[in-house]
Amino acid sequence: MHIHILTLFPNMFTGPFNESIIKRAVERGLVDISIYNIRDCTSDKHHIVDDYPYGGGPGMVLKPEPVFETVEMVRGERDIPVILLTPQGRLFNQQIAADIAGYEEFILICGHYEGVDERVREHLATDEISIGDYVLSGGELAAMVVVDAVVRQIPGVLGSDESVGEDSHATGLLEYPQYTRPQDFKGWEVPEVLLSGNHAEVARWRREQSLRRTSKRRPELLDRAILSDKDRVFLARIKSEE
Ligand code: 6GU
């Protein structure tokens, strides 16, 4: 997979992309990440990337020319998805991450300042993504979030003991509680069932914990989760206990 990121702040990416899972994925050749400074594609002497909004109002707007110029330079004759990161985009989730993980190549544009010229949205972007209902100073942190969530879904990126399958949201449910040694920490004990060695019992306990936790914290997720008859019986039971 080849990810192209267009930004005014390329240095922001060096830390996060040079650690942990993303670093390893790049080193293994599973993903290639190219960062482009939008300012490098300006043609005026002062390398101006933003300007005042038509109609007045506060803040500056990212000009269309350097953004179009950078995208055209990157994609050449190739037809590749162009994703604009903006608080006005569709809300990012695990399913969107999985869809993007199927792309061979894509471009992320980090919006900055108070806005991006509407013609970028209308005539360049093929998709718009937001990572949540809050305002960030720019799309850079959002791009890092998207890249992390996507890269960890590429086959071969995670080792077998880091499997993506049981993570919160991967199953449509929140993850079950996890424990490691010591068995007794300050008098707080690991649940007995996890020490039992009974794999079926452990699996049942984890499933019920996932269901219980999801029902309590994020009940709306249950509408979309894949549930067995047994799961539904369990949910009905805990509901009647409330
Ligand atoms: Cl993608 N960009 C900005 N600037 N703020 C955000 C966001 C994106 N997603 C949530 N808030």
Side-chain angles (χ1 to χ4, degrees):
M1 171 183 288
H2 195 163
I3 305 174
H4 305 272
I5 302 175
L6 278 56
T7 173
L8 291 168
F9 301 97
N11 293 333
M12 284 181 71
F13 293 88
T14 49
F17 287 177
N18 282 297
E19 300 288 346
S20 187
I21 307 272
I22 298 182
K23 179 187 185 176
R24 208 177 62 199
V26 170
E27 285 172 352
R28 287 184 183 166
L30 295 167
V31 60
D32 195 1
I33 303 176
S34 304
I35 315 268
Y36 309 86
N37 190 336
I38 295 168
R39 199 175 293 279
D40 292 342
C41 279
T42 44
S43 46
D44 62 303
K45 191 169 87 188
H46 299 289
H47 302 284
I48 292 170
V49 290
D50 57 349
D51 206 339
Y52 299 99
Y54 274 114
M60 300 291 271
V61 176
L62 187 57
K63 289 165 69 62
E65 303 98 313
V67 181
F68 272 78
E69 191 70 32
T70 316
V71 166
E72 282 159 11
M73 173 193 81
V74 169
R75 76 177 166 197
E77 298 299 306
R78 299 189 312 288
D79 182 22
I80 60 183
V82 177
I83 303 168
L84 178 65
L85 294 156
T86 161
Q88 303 178 42
R90 62 192 178 118
L91 206 51
F92 191 58
N93 62 25
Q94 191 70 9
Q95 183 56 54
I96 297 175
D99 294 343
I100 297 174
Y103 297 170
E104 190 50 47
E105 187 176 18
F106 62 96
I107 296 174
L108 293 175
I109 301 174
C110 304
H112 222 271
Y113 299 105
E114 281 69 15
V116 176
D117 188 282
E118 186 66 15
R119 289 160 292 187
V120 169
R121 196 184 299 286
E122 277 193 41
H123 304 293
L124 195 61
T126 58
D127 196 0
E128 298 176 41
I129 286 176
S130 162
I131 63 162
D133 294 336
Y134 41 81
V135 178
L136 299 170
S137 307
E140 283 76 13
L141 289 167
M144 294 176 211
V145 166
V146 169
V147 167
D148 190 284
V150 167
V151 166
R152 54 185 288 109
Q153 297 212 42
I154 299 172
V157 165
L158 295 188
S160 54
D161 33 335
E162 300 166 317
S163 131
V164 87
E166 298 202 354
D167 284 349
S168 286
H169 299 292
T171 57
L173 298 175
L174 301 184
E175 201 183 3
Y176 49 78
Q178 299 266 34
Y179 295 88
T180 188
R181 288 187 286 184
Q183 190 180 325
D184 180 325
F185 175 66
K186 295 179 186 282
W188 299 308
E189 302 241 7
V190 174
E192 196 67 45
V193 58
L194 299 178
L195 315 172
S196 68
N198 183 332
H199 297 299
E201 276 297 304
V202 169
R204 189 165 79 102
W205 181 84
R206 286 179 167 167
R207 184 69 183 176
E208 292 182 356
Q209 288 291 319
S210 275
L211 291 164
R212 197 182 279 280
R213 193 163 271 204
T214 308
S215 167
K216 195 159 186 181
R217 300 185 182 187
R218 298 291 306 280
E220 78 284 7
L221 295 180
L222 292 173
D223 300 338
R224 292 195 184 195
I226 300 167
L227 301 174
S228 68
D229 291 347
K230 215 167 153 190
D231 292 337
R232 292 182 197 282
V233 169
F234 178 76
L235 285 167
R237 201 184 87 212
I238 61 171
K239 208 145 192 189
S240 71
E241 287 168 3
E242 277 169 9

